[in-house]
Amino acid sequence: MLLERYHLRASERGQELQLRRLVMDEVARFRDRARALFENGPGRAIDSLAAALTSLRERSLLNIEDATRSATMFNRLVMGQPVNEAMLVGDGPIPTREQLRQHAAEATRR
């Protein structure tokens, strides 16, 4: 799944998490860099997922009104805990690929 692939790649990169922390610390001074980080990270994943959700909606396989809003909420559901923990605690190891897969599977279970 698209979001799971993004989730695994983004959460495995310690350097990206360090960059996110730095940008968050300096967002008031470097708004353009914060926007670029969002647009090239979570924003890109959300846009890709929204396109997939739109395709499913157009084929009557999914009943949603706003694909971007749905993609954003889904992104937060799958990404929230692992990214928040890595960003805010930061001293522990980055979750393994298997731990991230398990988290994504639990977040999307029917």
Side-chain angles (χ1 to χ4, degrees):
M1 165 172 263
L2 171 71
L3 192 55
E4 181 181 295
R5 285 194 307 264
Y6 169 78
H7 181 265
L8 292 172
R9 284 195 308 260
S11 297
E12 286 178 334
R13 293 187 290 221
Q15 288 180 339
E16 181 176 329
L17 293 174
Q18 290 173 350
L19 177 60
R20 283 180 180 219
R21 285 187 199 116
L22 177 64
V23 169
M24 287 172 63
D25 286 344
E26 298 293 339
V27 72
R29 291 184 348 163
F30 301 108
R31 291 194 186 283
D32 58 328
R33 292 183 185 152
R35 167 108 4 239
L37 181 64
F38 176 80
E39 288 173 353
N40 290 295
R44 183 178 291 173
I46 290 167
D47 289 346
S48 296
L49 183 57
L53 296 178
T54 297
S55 175
L56 292 170
R57 181 183 62 207
E58 289 170 351
R59 297 183 315 189
S60 299
L61 297 172
L62 186 64
N63 183 18
I64 58 172
E65 290 184 27
D66 184 332
T68 300
R69 181 171 165 76
S70 295
T72 300
M73 289 188 291
F74 189 75
N75 177 281
R76 298 288 186 247
L77 172 68
V78 174
M79 298 286 291
Q81 186 274 331
V83 170
N84 281 339
E85 188 172 327
M87 291 287 296
L88 299 173
V89 178
D91 293 336
I94 294 173
T96 66
R97 182 176 291 267
E98 185 54 38
Q99 289 169 323
L100 293 171
R101 275 198 183 105
Q102 184 178 13
H103 176 77
E106 289 173 8
T108 58
R109 187 176 348 164
R110 290 187 208 188

